[in-house]
Amino acid sequence: MPAVLSAIVLAALPAPARAADDPLAAARSEFAAALAAVDAGTLDGVDSDRLRAYPLHPYLLAARLRLRLARLAAVDDTGTDEAVAAFLKANGDAPVTRELRRAWLNSLAGRQQWPAFLANLPASLAAGDSVLRCQQLAARIALNQTDGLGPQVIEQWQAADRALPACDAAFDWAKGQQLLTPALIEARARRVAGNGYGALAKVIATPLAADIRARISQWAALIDAPQKALDALIADPARPVDDEALLDGWQRYARKDPEAAAARFAALREARRLDDTAASRYARALALGLAWSRKPAALDWFAKTLPADVDVVTAEWWARAALWSGDWPQVTRAIALLPEASRSEQRWRYWSARAAAAGGDETAKAQLATLAGEDGWYPALAAAQAGARYAPHPQPLGVDEARIAKLDALPGFIRARELFRVAQRTPASVEFAVAYESLEAAARPQAVFLPMRWGWYEQGVATASRQKIFTDYATLYPRPYDAPVKAGAALSGLPPTLIYGLLRQESLYRADAVSSANAYGLTQMLIETAARTARKWARPVPNRDALFDPATNVPLGAAHLRDLVDRFAGQVPVAIAGYNAGPNAAARWLPERPLPADIWIENIPFNETRNYVQRVLWHSLVFAWLAADGKPQPVEQWLAPIAQPSVVAGDEGLP
């Protein structure tokens, strides 16, 4: 982690991590400075006795060795391999060796130091890492250790479902040995095409016969430009195409433009002579595409799908399409197609009860009342249906201070805590996991409290979730950022509980969180969104590092959410969906006529966004319940109609 970011994150740590009575504070500060020097490319310096006694000193030594490995290509340093080997021998399989071991193996492979590579590659590590496995094969080939190698290379060839450059040497050797038969080559080309890599599939198929190459090329065309390829196949019924490729291209087209695909269904069926069994799979693809686009015609295509082709996803979206259309009998029929395990989930118990109520079934009230006695989004909805307030049902873990103190003194947990406090979360997670695994079952629930007390909230929640502990709300719903949350509430006019719900779902309280889309901080703000929001709200325009500061990030995130609430006329569920998927996507999902919020949310086509909206609202309810000292909370707003902003009046959607 860069030194500037480390300083910001360290400053945001809870007060106990910097307390004057912390016996490791001075050594920790010295360690952080030394590690920052390594990050900056410095290997000089002498470690004090205090630093050498610090529990994380081996991590500093490992970091220095990784830097030396990185320099081997440019600096003559013949002692590095010996130093790494000695460190690994001294530390065995301890977590501190993991990153260094991989770096060393990659360095040895890059320098083609194959004897050392093979001698130091653990079999367990090679088995679980395709790159190391490929490098192992390359090493044996380079050293002419090829007895019995053929089956292993073929096994790797069969497992490779995408490009794997590290295996090029092994695959080239297998080709030279004529081990890759046309059947093996064709099977991999089809596997790669099935994963959507059409161009790579064509390259793999190059050695094959012309007719097979043509079929693979046809599949690639269906991947790259499905409409064009499908129209060509309709126009030329004699053109060969594999059934798997045709269905794959059709599914892509039906997902992208379901209405255009529906207009071509009859022509495709006639041109390719699809019987009823085959046509059912094409109808299912259309039904799903239309359901994801919330088109009423989806129900017609679900009805044309044979029972054998109705899997869990199909049945769920059949039910959602029926909900969108208000066809409650069909909701019931679709749910009945789900396996028992799915029907027993809260989601489908809720919708079964809703469908029963719509049909006048008197048992619906009892079903909803039973569900309302549980915890979660759907139980709260069940209470809303009855016009009742809702309160979660806490089950506190119970704190055993003596056991917690013993856990906190274990070396593995000490290292995990110290790594967290110097913003080294990845190795901290490894240390914590190893220490946790060593615990007896009775001690594991108390391990939840360790990271929560350190301020490492996502680790605490993850440790609880691992044990299926979800309802100790006082522990799992802390409020560590009250000042920036209150500032965000004052700026935006949104309730603090909603802002806390947002940041809990977005980052699980990680001030240094960075997403794959380069969203930063507690509320996961994109740079451009943060800048635009700051200008609109007359705030200083932040840079990347500023977004790791809760005092900057949280008010901007709250202001952005407020902008979305205003854009969608006070409809908080739509605003939350827009926060996750973008406002343009949320606008596309709005219904032509007002729909109850529970139906609208259930039909959000992105699983991630649907779950996100439900969880943010659920989290905000829990925070409100905690803030109200356990008083039941109103949830009727969760059923308010969702409509186009032009037909929504007021701001009644705010919780």
Side-chain angles (χ1 to χ4, degrees):
M1 180 178 291
V4 172
L5 178 53
S6 294
I8 293 171
V9 173
L10 289 170
L13 286 174
R18 307 189 309 274
D21 59 351
D22 180 357
L24 294 178
R28 183 185 309 120
S29 178
E30 193 173 341
F31 173 85
L35 194 61
V38 176
D39 288 343
T42 300
L43 286 172
D44 300 332
V46 178
D47 296 343
S48 68
D49 291 343
R50 179 172 58 197
L51 180 54
R52 286 196 297 271
Y54 183 53
L56 298 187
H57 187 249
Y59 279 90
L60 177 60
L61 300 179
R64 289 170 175 161
L65 288 170
R66 290 198 304 275
L67 178 58
R68 288 175 63 179
L69 285 170
R71 291 178 171 180
L72 275 182
V75 177
D76 184 14
D77 185 2
T78 56
T80 295
D81 288 330
E82 291 81 359
V84 172
F87 182 90
L88 295 177
K89 182 178 180 180
N91 289 278
D93 293 327
V96 70
T97 67
R98 296 188 182 185
E99 190 175 350
L100 176 61
R101 191 184 305 278
R102 286 184 177 275
W104 188 34
L105 289 168
N106 284 326
S107 175
L108 291 170
R111 292 180 281 134
Q112 297 188 2
Q113 298 294 309
W114 297 124
F117 177 88
L118 290 178
N120 291 282
L121 175 65
S124 59
L125 194 58
D129 187 311
S130 60
V131 172
L132 288 174
R133 177 65 173 155
C134 289
Q135 291 171 339
Q136 181 186 47
L137 297 173
R140 290 183 57 187
I141 293 167
L143 298 174
N144 201 29
Q145 299 176 7
T146 56
D147 288 347
L149 188 64
Q152 296 177 39
V153 177
I154 290 173
E155 180 182 3
Q156 194 65 38
W157 172 270
Q158 291 174 321
D161 55 6
R162 62 194 64 197
L164 196 57
C167 257
D168 286 348
F171 293 163
D172 288 343
W173 175 84
K175 292 173 185 175
Q177 299 294 312
Q178 297 184 338
L179 297 176
L180 297 181
T181 65
L184 286 171
I185 294 172
E186 181 180 356
R188 185 177 176 220
R190 293 181 179 281
R191 187 167 58 253
V192 167
N195 284 328
Y197 300 101
L200 177 59
K202 289 169 64 176
V203 172
I204 294 170
T206 300
L208 299 176
D211 62 327
I212 299 176
R213 289 202 312 272
R215 289 176 180 271
I216 300 298
S217 295
Q218 178 66 73
W219 195 342
L222 284 161
I223 292 170
D224 295 337
Q227 178 179 322
K228 181 179 178 181
L230 287 165
D231 285 346
L233 290 167
I234 291 171
D236 184 4
R239 179 180 297 186
V241 62
D242 293 331
D243 292 342
E244 185 181 10
L246 183 63
L247 181 59
D248 182 43
W250 178 258
Q251 289 170 335
R252 294 174 187 278
Y253 188 37
R255 186 162 53 242
K256 182 179 180 180
D257 193 347
E259 291 181 303
R264 287 168 169 79
F265 178 83
L268 180 71
R269 180 172 185 178
E270 180 179 357
R272 309 316 298 187
R273 297 183 179 180
L274 303 176
D275 61 19
D276 289 347
T277 300
S280 169
R281 295 192 291 273
Y282 290 78
R284 178 184 61 190
L286 275 177
L288 289 171
L290 290 163
W292 294 329
S293 297
R294 297 154 310 285
K295 302 296 183 182
L299 294 178
D300 297 332
W301 292 100
F302 279 121
K304 295 175 183 178
T305 303
L306 296 176
D309 292 322
V310 179
D311 57 10
V312 171
V313 171
T314 305
E316 288 183 341
W317 278 101
W318 193 339
R320 291 186 177 111
L323 285 169
W324 191 268
S325 296
D327 189 336
W328 291 103
Q330 198 158 175
V331 171
T332 300
R333 290 196 295 272
I335 294 173
L337 296 172
L338 289 166
E340 174 58 32
S342 297
R343 294 199 305 273
S344 65
E345 295 173 358
Q346 288 181 346
R347 180 191 312 273
W348 300 115
R349 288 163 56 204
Y350 172 76
W351 289 115
S352 291
R354 287 272 274 123
D361 188 338
E362 289 298 323
T363 66
K365 292 181 180 179
Q367 295 176 48
L368 290 169
T370 299
L371 185 57
E374 301 173 14
D375 285 54
W377 162 255
Y378 291 99
L381 283 178
Q385 290 293 337
R389 292 182 170 232
Y390 178 82
H393 307 83
Q395 294 179 302
L397 275 171
V399 179
D400 184 340
E401 293 292 355
R403 190 185 291 271
I404 292 172
K406 290 180 180 179
L407 295 179
D408 204 28
L410 292 176
F413 286 128
I414 290 174
R415 290 191 295 270
R417 181 192 68 217
E418 292 303 305
L419 285 163
F420 164 70
R421 287 182 174 173
V422 294
Q424 298 293 311
R425 289 181 187 252
T426 299
S429 297
V430 174
E431 287 280 7
F432 192 94
V434 171
Y436 173 86
E437 287 295 334
S438 70
L439 298 179
E440 60 182 14
R444 289 182 173 182
Q446 296 300 307
V448 172
F449 294 106
L450 293 179
M452 298 303 290
R453 292 181 178 186
W454 303 338
W456 192 9
Y457 303 110
E458 80 274 11
Q459 183 65 50
V461 173
T463 305
S465 298
R466 186 173 184 176
Q467 302 173 69
K468 300 188 183 305
I469 296 169
F470 302 108
T471 53
D472 184 348
Y473 298 109
T475 300
L476 300 178
Y477 282 77
R479 286 165 284 183
Y481 296 106
D482 272 347
V485 167
K486 289 177 180 176
L491 178 68
S492 66
L494 296 176
T497 52
L498 178 59
I499 298 171
Y500 257 126
L502 178 76
L503 68 86
R504 191 185 191 279
Q505 185 60 34
E506 281 287 351
S507 63
L508 247 181
Y509 308 101
R510 278 196 64 168
D512 66 337
V514 180
S515 77
S516 59
N518 289 324
Y520 302 112
L522 287 167
T523 63
Q524 290 289 271
M525 294 288 285
L526 296 169
I527 289 285
E528 56 270 26
T529 303
R532 183 174 62 250
T533 304
R535 285 190 289 267
K536 179 175 180 179
W537 289 79
R539 309 279 291 189
V541 175
N543 59 19
R544 177 182 181 273
D545 287 343
L547 288 177
F548 294 116
D549 182 356
T552 297
N553 182 283
V554 176
L556 285 177
H560 176 48
L561 181 58
R562 177 79 240 188
D563 287 340
L564 293 170
V565 170
D566 292 342
R567 172 172 175 167
F568 294 111
Q571 299 179 109
V572 171
V574 186
I576 296 171
Y579 197 102
N580 177 258
N584 292 335
R588 288 196 305 272
W589 301 336
L590 289 171
E592 294 179 359
R593 69 185 194 287
L595 280 178
D598 58 346
I599 293 177
W600 182 81
I601 293 170
E602 191 65 47
N603 273 276
I604 292 174
F606 297 168
N607 293 338
E608 176 192 336
T609 302
R610 184 186 330 110
N611 293 335
Y612 177 91
V613 172
Q614 293 172 348
R615 288 169 183 166
V616 169
L617 289 172
W618 167 250
H619 294 331
S620 67
L621 183 149
V622 174
F623 281 118
W625 170 77
L626 288 168
D629 296 324
K631 294 180 181 178
Q633 296 298 297
V635 285
E636 65 272 8
Q637 71 273 13
W638 286 17
L639 300 178
I642 299 295
Q644 296 287 340
S646 59
V647 300
V648 178
D651 210 25
E652 295 83 359
L654 285 175

